[in-house]
Amino acid sequence: MNYIFLDTCVLLDVSTKRSDLPLVSALEELVGSSNVKLVLADLVVEEYERNKESVAKKTAQRLSQEFKQVKAVVNEFAGEKQAETMEVLNDINARLPLLTEANYATIHRVERLIESAKIILISDRSKIAAVQRGLEKRAPFHISKNSVADAVIIEQFYEFVSSLDSNYETCIFVTHNHNDFSSTDHRKPHVDFDEIFSISNSLYFNNLASAIDHIDPGLLAEFEFEHDFTEETRGLREILDAMDELVDKVWYNRHQNRMWGIEHGEIEVIPEGTERYGSDVIHEHILKGAIKSAERVEGKYEDIGPWSDFEWGMINGKLSALRWVLGDEWDMLDT
């Protein structure tokens, strides 16, 4: 059995970095197997719950700020290509809310991983050992900061790994906080942790990717390959173009129904200025404009019907969905 003991910073990083999505997928795959178990100190879970929202918001703010900076540079230096470049930037800007929401989807996945983990309570021994580290200025107290939480977490890891059967069980400590835990070579633990990591079944990694590769070489590469081919969020221009086509086709179908009604005497064509209105009449000038618009649609698209009930339902559903994405209420099908 392989146990993966994560520091809080690892959970927060994979929750907010799009580039780390393969790590989340690989960790889900490992935890779903029978020989890997995620282990978290209750303090880690508390820290994650306390910080996940603010980290997600900071990520959104960073994206927005970086976009503004790029836009300012383009405005100043793009020259004759400014209009073309700004169109691309505006398309990216329209995606920012969706990218921000993607953070929360990843956070939800990490929360499910936490629910599946073995949660261990911080013991009195770990608290006392952490205080002793502080008094002796040993890592993680070797730098000028309050590292009590880090000290408690590493001592709890020590206690947990000491309880395992070294012949059959391995525990891997993973942290991205190399300042507090790593030596000059960030891949190795600080010498003040030699007592902990000299245990044969105790391993140290300064990044989750290396830990996953140690357990299952090649697994992470598979998920990276899959994410490389994951479809990106649609651009605003692409969404608007699709909406325009759907609006044209919905309108055209309604126009054809109206023409059928005229041919069969269900709709009366009346002179312009006649003060009669309703679904059973159409004024001459409106019909003339509609026929001209229908010719434009016929020249623009190859597929303009007639459609089966299923196809017609799909067209209306697509239009409703795209409008909902851009802020309309569901079932908004006005043309």
Side-chain angles (χ1 to χ4, degrees):
M1 171 65 74
N2 289 290
Y3 293 97
I4 303 177
F5 194 108
L6 297 182
D7 191 8
T8 313
C9 55
V10 178
L11 293 174
L12 290 172
D13 284 348
V14 299
S15 294
T16 54
K17 294 181 180 180
R18 183 177 176 82
S19 58
D20 282 349
L21 283 175
L23 293 175
V24 178
S25 298
L27 193 56
E28 289 170 335
E29 179 76 12
L30 288 176
V31 170
S33 68
S34 59
N35 64 337
V36 175
K37 185 70 176 179
L38 186 62
V39 180
L40 300 171
D42 60 345
L43 176 61
V44 168
V45 177
E46 292 170 7
E47 287 184 332
Y48 179 78
E49 289 297 322
R50 188 168 58 250
N51 291 286
K52 65 182 181 182
E53 189 71 24
S54 62
V55 170
K57 288 181 178 179
K58 286 178 182 177
T59 301
Q61 292 169 355
R62 176 180 57 79
L63 287 171
S64 179
Q65 185 60 36
E66 289 175 352
F67 174 81
K68 290 177 181 178
Q69 292 173 349
V70 172
K71 195 171 183 179
V73 171
V74 170
N75 279 329
E76 186 171 355
F77 299 108
E80 60 183 22
K81 293 185 177 180
Q82 179 173 330
E84 179 182 347
T85 306
M86 288 304 298
E87 182 178 353
V88 174
L89 288 177
N90 287 332
D91 182 54
I92 295 172
N93 189 40
R95 301 189 195 194
L96 290 182
L98 295 176
L99 293 174
T100 301
E101 287 301 316
N103 278 342
Y104 289 98
T106 307
I107 286 173
H108 182 59
R109 292 173 65 185
V110 173
E111 287 174 332
R112 290 203 302 270
L113 283 169
I114 292 173
E115 290 172 1
S116 71
K118 178 181 179 65
I119 309 298
I120 54 178
L121 302 180
I122 299 296
S123 69
D124 290 339
R125 187 218 66 84
S126 294
K127 295 175 185 177
I128 294 171
V131 171
Q132 189 63 37
R133 281 186 173 274
L135 293 174
E136 296 173 0
K137 299 298 182 182
R138 291 188 294 146
F141 295 98
H142 60 297
I143 54 180
S144 300
K145 59 172 287 192
N146 183 352
S147 299
V148 173
D150 292 324
V152 169
I153 289 170
I154 193 65
E155 287 295 342
Q156 194 59 53
F157 168 79
Y158 181 32
E159 184 172 314
F160 178 76
V161 74
S162 298
S163 69
L164 300 179
D165 184 337
S166 60
N167 293 318
Y168 302 102
E169 298 174 310
T170 298
C171 195
I172 300 170
F173 182 79
V174 186
T175 182
H176 292 171
N177 182 4
H178 57 80
N179 289 327
D180 284 347
F181 291 106
S182 294
S183 65
T184 304
D185 182 349
H186 292 169
R187 296 169 299 177
K188 299 178 180 179
H190 193 278
V191 292
D192 288 347
F193 300 124
D194 281 352
E195 180 184 6
I196 298 174
F197 293 103
S198 62
I199 301 174
S200 61
N201 61 334
S202 174
L203 299 174
Y204 177 88
F205 288 95
N206 71 329
N207 65 82
L208 182 57
S210 297
I212 292 173
D213 283 339
H214 172 79
I215 296 172
D216 188 345
L219 177 64
L220 185 57
E222 293 178 13
F223 284 105
E224 287 174 339
F225 179 81
E226 289 180 9
H227 281 275
D228 282 342
F229 288 91
T230 300
E231 292 181 348
E232 295 290 334
T233 306
R234 300 287 183 186
L236 179 62
R237 181 71 266 161
E238 187 177 1
I239 293 174
L240 293 175
D241 288 345
M243 280 180 55
D244 288 344
E245 179 177 344
L246 291 167
V247 167
D248 283 345
K249 290 182 175 181
V250 169
W251 175 87
Y252 182 80
N253 187 80
R254 293 173 180 170
H255 168 74
Q256 292 299 99
N257 287 333
R258 185 165 50 242
M259 294 301 294
W260 185 93
I262 292 171
E263 293 173 4
H264 290 78
E266 295 181 1
I267 299 176
E268 180 183 354
V269 180
I270 59 178
E272 181 178 354
T274 304
E275 294 189 0
R276 284 179 57 196
Y277 305 95
S279 59
D280 60 340
V281 298
I282 184 170
H283 292 84
E284 288 179 341
H285 70 289
I286 294 177
L287 177 60
K288 183 178 180 180
I291 292 173
K292 185 175 181 180
S293 295
E295 291 173 350
R296 177 188 63 81
V297 173
E298 290 167 352
K300 189 174 182 180
Y301 307 106
E302 293 183 7
D303 179 19
I304 53 174
W307 297 294
S308 67
D309 288 345
F310 175 80
E311 292 169 330
W312 179 235
M314 286 293 293
I315 290 171
N316 282 274
K318 290 176 181 178
L319 178 57
S320 173
L322 291 180
R323 282 182 164 170
W324 181 82
V325 165
L326 295 182
D328 273 323
E329 296 299 322
W330 280 115
D331 305 325
M332 173 58 180
L333 296 171
D334 291 352
T335 58

